[in-house]
Amino acid sequence: EKTKHKDGSSEKHKDKHKDRDKEKRKEEKNKSSGDVKIKKEKENGFSSPPRIKDEPDEDGYYASPKEDSKPLKRPREEDDEDYKPKKIKTEDIKKSKKRKQEEEEDNKSKKTKSKDKRAPEGDNKKKKQKKEEEQKWKWWEEERYPEGIKWKFLEHKGPVFAPPYEPLPENVKFYYDGKVMKLSPKAEEVATFFAKMLDHEYTTKDIFRKNFFKDWRKEMTSEEKSTITNLSKCDFTQMSQYFKAQSEARKQMSKEEKQKIKEENERLLKEYGFCIMDNHKERIANFKIEPPGLFRGRGNHPKMGMLKRRIMPEDIIINCSKDSKVPPPPPGHKWKEVRHDNKVTWLVSWTENIQGSIKYIMLNPSSRIKGEKDWQKYETARRLKKCVDKIRNQYREDWKSKEMKVRQRAVALYFIDKLALRAGNEKEEGETADTVGCCSLRVEHINLHPELDGQEYMVEFDFLGKDSIRYYNKVPVEKRVFKNLQLFMENKQPEDDLFDRLNTSILNKHLQDLMEGLTAKVFRTYNASITLQQQLKELTTPDDNIPAKILSYNRANRAVAILCNHQRAPPKTFEKSMMNLQTKIDAKKDQLADARRELKIWLPKKKAVQRIEEQLMKLEVQATDREENKQIALGTSKLNYLDPRISVAWCKKWGIPVEKIYNKTQREKFAWAIDMAEDDYEF
DNA sequence: GCGCGAACTTAGCACGATACAG
DNA sequence: CTGTATCGTGCTAAGTTCGCGC
C-alpha cells in the first residue's frame, strides 16, 4: 500500500518544471563527451571502493604504534568531550552522550606530552622572534575553543574597495544608430563592462543581452533612456579596441613599471591582507571587494548579463572584537554596521545584488580557523569509516521497506555512497541554472537498461551537476535498486522528481541518527579519501623511482577525481603540448642511442647512459600523466576531499619529498597534516 | 516540518607569474 | 635575452548545512 505514490504528486511536479527547455539543457555542456566517458567507464571499478578491504581491523586501527611518540595534544574527539559539559544547548548534550558511547576509544592512546605550548593566551613567545614564531605556530597543538566560539580577539583593517571608475578618454567614441553619442559617466561605466566582453560568445546570447540592456537602462539619464532603445544599434567597437590596446600596453610595460605595480600590490597585501586573531597574525583570503561588472553565472544561467553593482562602504558590515581598533571607513563614508560577533568567522560582509545573497571576507585556508574545520571534516569521515558497513547494511535492508519514502531514501543514499553524488538541494527556478544533485534528480536524468553492454540492471545517468558540469555514467546496480527505480518512475513525467518523497533535509536528518555529524557530503569525503588510500596501496611499486611513484600517486588522485566527477576543459594548447613532449622524447631516444654506441667504445660513459635513460623515463612518465589528465582536474579533490595525512604518510613511507605532491600554498594549508602524520598513518 | 537566511565549503576558469626553450 | 608553455593564484559562483521563526 504505502509504496504507492501519493495522488497528485506527479501533477505538482509537472507544474513545477513545465517550462523548462530540455533541449537547451542537453546542449549546454557537451564538452564532457569522448575521452572522459571512456575513462570513466574504464575506471569505474574505483567508483565503489572495495568494501571488504576497508574494514577497520579491530585492534590495530584506533591506536597506531607511532602515536605515542607524537606530541599530539588535541585529539579532536576527546577535546569535544571536554567541552561538551560546558554547553547549554540540550541538543548538544544529547549528541555528546551518543558520541561518548560510540567512540570513546578513538585517539585514546594519544598522550598530551609536550609542555611548552599549552597556554593559548600568548605567553613568553609573544615578543621574541615574533615573525618566526608566527610562521611556525602550531595551532593544532593547542586547545580548541568550546563549540560555537570562533575567536576572542579580532582586529583587521577592513576591505579594499574596487578602484573607482576612470572615464574614457574623449577620443574613444560610442555610437548609437551610427551617430556619435557621449554617455553620462554612469551609463558609460556600464557600457564599458559590456564592451570588455564583446569577444565572448555570451554577449550574443539573448538572455545575456536582455538582462544587460535592462540593467544598463537603469543607469542611464532620462535622455539616454529615450534615445537608446535597442542594444543592437549600439556600437561598442571603439571602446572594445581601446581596452584591448590598454591590456596590450600593460603587457608591454617596462620592468620598472611592472615592479612598481608589484610593490603596490605587496603594500596592499601587507596592510589589508592580514588580521590579528587571538594573538596571531593570520592571512585573509579575499580582502578585496569584488569589482562591479556584468554577472556571468555558470551554465545556462537566467541572470547572465545582469549588472553586478559597485559595493560601497555603506553596504559593508564590519565584524571585529569590541576591544579592537575598528577599521575606519573611507573618508566621507560610513559603514553599514559594525558588529562584534565571535560566533562567526567572517571579518566583513555585504549583500550582493544578483541573488541577494551575502558575501564574506574570511581567512586563508592556512589559518587556524579554517584548518581546524578541515581537520575536523576528515575526522568525521574517519568516524564514518567505522560504521559505514552498518549503514550500508541498513540501507540495503531499507530497499525492501514498506514505506516509499524509506525506500527512496535508501536508494538515494546508495547513489551518494556508491557514486559520490552531491546531496542535491532544491533550487529556486528562474534564479539559477538548472542543475541537480542526488535528491533533486528527475526522471529524465536516468535511463534504465535491464541489460546493457553485457551487464544486467544498468542505470545510465546524464545530468548537469554543480557548475553545470555534466555527469554521465553507466553503472550496474543491484536488482533491488533497479526494481525500486522502476517503481519510483512509474506514472511520472520526465520532468518529475525521481525521489518525490525525499529532500536533503529528510536525508540528512536520517543520517544524523545513524552517526553524529553525518551528512550527505561526508560520504564524498570518506569515499574520496578511502579510495586514495586504497589506490595508493595498490598502485605504488616499491622498486619504482621517484617520477614513477609520483605517476602512481597522480593516478590514485585521478581515480578520486573521476569518482567525484572533477572535470576540466581540455587545455587549449593540449594537443600542441603533447606533441612538444613527444618531440622531446624522440630527441632523448636519439641521444640515448648515441650514448650507447659510444659506450661500447668507451666504458666510463656508463653513467651518462644511465642519466639519459632516467631522463627519458621521466619524460615518458610525464607524457603518460598528461595524457591521462586531459580533462580531469586533480586540484579540487586534492584540496577538498583527500585527507592530507594519507598523502603525507605516503610521501614519508616512500621517501618522496612532500614538495612533489603539494606546492607552497598547499603545504601551508596542510601544515597540520605534514606536521602530524607519520608514515603509518591510516585514514 | 517547512521556508528561509546565514555561514561556510567546494568549484572551474582566467590570467598573471614563473620556468623553460630557442 | 625573449617568447612561449606551464603552473599557481585569485576570483567569485555554486553548492551544503544549520538554525531560527513560524
Side-chain angles (χ1 to χ4, degrees):
Chain A
E1 259 310 300
K2 280 183 172 173
T3 53
K4 288 203 182 131
H5 296 293
K6 256 186 208 152
D7 289 8
S9 77
S10 182
E11 281 309 303
K12 183 186 89 193
H13 292 283
K14 205 192 290 176
D15 200 44
K16 189 167 128 197
H17 303 302
K18 69 183 167 202
D19 34 35
R20 281 191 175 136
D21 185 346
K22 274 182 279 173
E23 291 315 306
K24 263 191 194 159
R25 208 184 305 139
K26 286 257 165 68
E27 285 164 16
E28 174 61 26
K29 202 94 177 190
N30 20 9
K31 69 176 184 186
S32 63
S33 49
D35 303 43
V36 155
K37 226 187 274 183
I38 292 157
K39 288 230 179 74
K40 194 174 249 315
E41 282 157 21
K42 192 175 69 190
E43 301 192 36
N44 245 349
F46 303 152
S47 305
S48 24
R51 309 302 190 205
I52 305 147
K53 284 188 191 168
D54 304 344
E55 246 171 301
D57 58 324
E58 294 302 331
D59 310 328
Y61 179 64
Y62 303 120
S64 50
K66 280 274 166 74
E67 223 98 75
D68 270 352
S69 61
K70 271 245 95 183
L72 216 190
K73 296 236 210 94
R74 297 191 320 167
R76 202 139 279 253
E77 312 302 314
E78 250 173 37
D79 273 14
D80 267 357
E81 300 300 325
D82 292 342
Y83 289 119
K84 286 276 156 70
K86 292 180 200 160
K87 273 184 262 164
I88 328 115
K89 286 186 204 155
T90 49
E91 209 191 313
D92 285 330
I93 290 164
K94 262 188 271 168
K95 277 185 193 169
S96 103
K97 274 185 203 154
K98 218 193 305 165
R99 185 188 280 199
K100 254 186 191 136
Q101 302 159 1
E102 271 178 21
E103 42 185 276
E104 194 149 16
E105 64 273 65
D106 186 29
N107 294 330
K108 218 178 208 168
S109 64
K110 295 171 187 168
K111 304 219 167 91
T112 57
K113 269 215 285 195
S114 69
K115 46 244 131 180
D116 47 344
K117 298 274 176 60
R118 265 287 156 155
E121 305 304 340
D123 42 12
N124 47 0
K125 71 179 170 192
K126 208 171 180 179
K127 283 278 145 69
K128 59 177 179 185
Q129 305 170 350
K130 196 166 179 185
K131 254 187 190 154
E132 250 179 90
E133 281 299 334
E134 289 297 354
Q135 276 166 12
K136 288 191 272 180
W137 177 41
K138 297 185 176 182
W139 51 258
W140 50 94
E141 292 183 350
E142 290 187 18
E143 244 173 90
R144 281 197 305 160
Y145 286 127
E147 206 182 291
I149 296 178
K150 303 296 167 67
W151 45 263
K152 288 196 175 125
F153 180 82
L154 172 61
E155 182 170 282
H156 58 90
K157 293 291 184 68
V160 172
F161 289 92
Y165 176 63
E166 283 182 35
L168 293 170
E170 288 300 325
N171 62 336
V172 181
K173 310 283 192 206
F174 166 75
Y175 297 88
Y176 185 74
D177 207 5
K179 292 188 274 293
V180 181
M181 189 174 169
K182 172 77 187 161
L183 295 171
S184 65
K186 277 189 157 187
E188 185 189 271
E189 179 178 7
V190 179
T192 64
F193 298 153
F194 193 82
K196 283 177 184 167
M197 298 176 139
L198 229 46
D199 287 341
H200 274 107
E201 186 235 348
Y202 45 74
T203 53
T204 63
K205 291 195 171 179
D206 270 359
I207 309 173
F208 190 96
R209 296 174 68 87
K210 199 181 114 266
N211 287 333
F212 162 72
F213 196 55
K214 190 173 160 215
D215 281 2
W216 187 27
R217 284 177 56 82
K218 288 184 205 157
E219 302 298 313
M220 292 177 187
T221 62
S222 47
E223 258 170 272
E224 287 166 337
K225 235 184 251 179
S226 59
T227 314
I228 303 172
T229 53
N230 183 350
L231 180 55
S232 305
K233 291 184 180 172
C234 296
D235 179 356
F236 302 96
T237 43
Q238 278 205 9
M239 288 187 191
S240 173
Q241 276 162 13
Y242 171 71
F243 291 122
K244 270 184 218 162
Q246 290 269 298
S247 76
E248 206 45 47
R250 224 171 301 130
K251 275 183 216 153
Q252 300 303 319
M253 274 188 309
S254 70
K255 256 191 186 149
E256 295 75 44
E257 288 172 304
K258 280 184 181 167
Q259 186 57 29
K260 226 175 138 191
I261 291 175
K262 205 175 164 188
E263 276 164 17
E264 171 63 11
N265 283 334
E266 276 163 12
R267 198 187 60 77
L268 268 182
L269 174 67
K270 231 178 125 197
E271 163 128 40
Y272 295 97
F274 295 86
C275 72
I276 303 290
M277 186 176 273
D278 298 332
N279 292 318
H280 295 278
K281 192 172 163 187
E282 299 253 45
R283 179 88 187 267
I284 299 169
N286 55 327
F287 58 93
K288 288 181 182 157
I289 301 263
E290 299 169 20
L294 302 184
F295 177 81
R296 173 61 173 119
R298 318 246 166 94
N300 197 177
H301 198 115
K303 299 198 170 186
M304 66 171 92
M306 280 176 63
L307 173 64
K308 218 173 92 160
R309 63 167 232 289
R310 180 178 289 274
I311 303 302
M312 302 300 284
E314 286 69 19
D315 300 312
I316 296 288
I317 301 175
I318 297 285
N319 192 33
C320 59
S321 55
K322 277 197 187 109
D323 53 347
S324 76
K325 223 176 98 203
V326 177
H333 288 279
K334 287 188 296 210
W335 301 126
K336 180 182 181 185
E337 186 191 331
V338 175
R339 65 171 75 157
H340 310 288
D341 183 357
N342 75 346
K343 308 273 190 298
V344 296
T345 67
W346 53 268
L347 322 185
V348 172
S349 77
W350 70 94
T351 302
E352 149 271 348
N353 68 305
I354 304 289
Q355 322 276 357
S357 65
I358 306 170
K359 300 248 180 170
Y360 304 92
I361 291 182
M362 293 180 184
L363 297 194
N364 197 68
S366 63
S367 63
R368 182 215 103 219
I369 216 159
K370 294 290 182 191
E372 277 186 345
K373 201 74 190 298
D374 205 37
W375 181 14
Q376 199 171 48
K377 173 180 78 187
Y378 292 112
E379 289 309 313
T380 306
R382 293 173 83 200
R383 283 194 286 122
L384 172 58
K385 177 178 171 175
K386 291 188 217 156
C387 59
V388 73
D389 290 330
K390 207 177 103 203
I391 290 171
R392 283 171 178 157
N393 289 333
Q394 156 99 256
Y395 68 60
R396 295 170 59 86
E397 275 305 304
D398 288 346
W399 292 341
K400 302 179 239 171
S401 168
K402 292 196 295 285
E403 279 186 89
M404 183 59 132
K405 62 178 187 194
V406 173
R407 285 199 191 199
Q408 291 194 354
R409 199 180 66 193
V411 171
L413 186 49
Y414 170 73
F415 285 162
I416 284 171
D417 183 19
K418 184 183 172 70
L419 306 172
L421 299 189
R422 296 189 185 80
N425 287 299
E426 302 96 303
K427 306 171 74 188
E428 212 179 319
E429 209 176 335
E431 294 292 302
T432 57
D434 177 27
T435 63
V436 297
C438 186
C439 294
S440 50
L441 279 171
R442 299 193 294 265
V443 169
E444 61 195 326
H445 295 131
I446 65 169
N447 256 310
L448 301 183
H449 305 279
E451 206 245 285
L452 182 72
D453 306 332
Q455 286 179 289
E456 276 190 313
Y457 307 121
M458 294 286 278
V459 183
E460 187 182 8
F461 292 83
D462 192 352
F463 61 88
L464 297 182
K466 183 179 179 178
D467 293 325
S468 292
I469 296 291
R470 185 181 180 201
Y471 183 93
Y472 182 83
N473 203 358
K474 286 185 277 191
V475 278
V477 300
E478 306 202 26
K479 181 174 177 182
R480 233 181 215 113
V481 170
F482 196 86
K483 295 287 171 196
N484 270 315
L485 289 170
Q486 285 177 327
L487 176 69
F488 303 159
M489 290 165 79
E490 249 170 40
N491 302 317
K492 283 191 194 169
Q493 301 296 312
E495 60 275 19
D496 289 340
D497 287 338
L498 176 63
F499 303 115
D500 53 293
R501 309 285 182 87
L502 185 69
N503 59 40
T504 54
S505 157
I506 295 171
L507 179 67
N508 278 336
K509 247 170 225 144
H510 172 65
L511 293 176
Q512 197 60 231
D513 292 340
L514 299 178
M515 183 192 105
E516 193 208 328
L518 186 61
T519 61
K521 84 186 185 89
V522 178
F523 281 89
R524 247 169 106 78
T525 312
Y526 162 72
N527 279 310
S529 287
I530 201 78
T531 301
L532 178 76
Q533 179 166 289
Q534 178 264 331
Q535 286 290 302
L536 282 177
K537 261 183 205 154
E538 203 164 292
L539 299 175
T540 311
T541 312
D543 295 338
D544 274 351
N545 59 15
I546 291 186
K549 285 212 179 76
I550 288 169
L551 174 63
S552 301
Y553 179 88
N554 285 343
R555 282 178 163 161
N557 192 163
R558 202 135 49 229
V560 176
I562 288 165
L563 171 67
C564 294
N565 200 40
H566 291 141
Q567 297 186 26
R568 63 166 181 177
K572 288 182 191 78
T573 55
F574 185 82
E575 296 305 330
K576 205 171 147 199
S577 97
M578 278 316 284
M579 281 186 23
N580 288 161
L581 204 49
Q582 193 54 53
T583 315
K584 275 198 219 167
I585 290 174
D586 294 342
K588 203 45 94 178
K589 278 180 180 164
D590 291 346
Q591 193 190 344
L592 182 61
D594 289 350
R596 279 194 174 133
R597 224 173 293 126
E598 278 184 52
L599 174 65
K600 282 180 187 153
I601 322 160
W602 192 40
L603 224 74
K605 278 248 168 172
K606 199 173 169 190
K607 265 205 183 121
V609 170
Q610 278 175 352
R611 208 189 61 230
I612 297 166
E613 272 173 344
E614 216 163 86
Q615 286 168 340
L616 174 62
M617 147 91 168
K618 210 169 154 183
L619 285 171
E620 280 174 333
V621 158
Q622 200 187 343
T624 312
D625 207 12
R626 188 173 301 177
E627 183 67 49
E628 288 176 1
N629 225 30
K630 186 173 179 182
Q631 23 199 331
I632 310 291
L634 300 186
T636 304
S637 50
K638 201 183 243 186
L639 236 43
N640 299 301
Y641 290 104
L642 303 176
D643 183 341
R645 291 167 295 185
I646 299 170
S647 302
V648 171
W650 181 84
C651 284
K652 290 192 175 161
K653 180 167 179 188
W654 300 108
I656 312 284
V658 77
E659 296 78 35
K660 301 267 182 190
I661 300 297
Y662 291 135
N663 68 29
K664 187 161 158 282
T665 316
Q666 297 171 150
R667 291 198 299 277
E668 278 164 16
K669 170 168 179 173
F670 297 133
W672 58 275
I674 294 170
D675 186 54
M676 72 169 96
E678 296 295 339
D679 61 354
D680 59 351
Y681 174 78
E682 273 267 347
F683 172 76

